[in-house]
Amino acid sequence: MRVDSDSIVVEIPTQSVPMVFPVTTASIDGVVHSVVIAEYGPLGGVSPDGHILRTAVLERWPDARVFERRSTGERGADPRGYESFYVEL
């Protein structure tokens, strides 16, 4: 298994320009099997709908399982407001 850093470009209806989100990929023999979407952080300032994120990942890696660290909703895009586990989108 190989773990790499990468990114996805996401079209968000409320934003005038596409946003780039960091991701971590896990692949076997060059095929990406899972993608973990990183926290957006205060610099990102945007928490798009999970469906939008999942769609962007699957357009690039069609067979991947997609995971996101779930926000508690109390701090918006602040990474301190995230749960300690990831959920599959």
Side-chain angles (χ1 to χ4, degrees):
M1 176 178 280
R2 181 180 171 102
V3 176
D4 287 308
S5 295
D6 210 316
S7 62
I8 56 170
V9 177
V10 180
E11 298 279 344
I12 302 172
T14 58
Q15 300 293 313
S16 59
V17 296
M19 304 264 326
V20 177
F21 290 91
V23 298
T24 300
T25 61
S27 59
I28 299 173
D29 297 327
V31 177
V32 172
H33 290 277
S34 68
V35 175
V36 178
I37 301 168
E39 296 87 7
Y40 319 124
L43 294 178
V46 175
S47 295
D49 178 275
H51 175 75
I52 294 172
L53 292 171
R54 185 175 187 278
T55 298
V57 169
L58 294 179
E59 284 176 356
R60 183 156 174 203
W61 300 289
D63 297 322
R65 294 178 69 185
V66 185
F67 298 90
E68 178 188 28
R69 194 169 178 192
R70 187 170 68 184
S71 171
T72 61
E74 296 171 4
R75 294 180 182 230
D78 186 334
R80 293 170 293 182
Y82 282 83
E83 296 285 352
S84 59
F85 61 92
Y86 288 77
V87 294
E88 186 169 0
L89 297 178

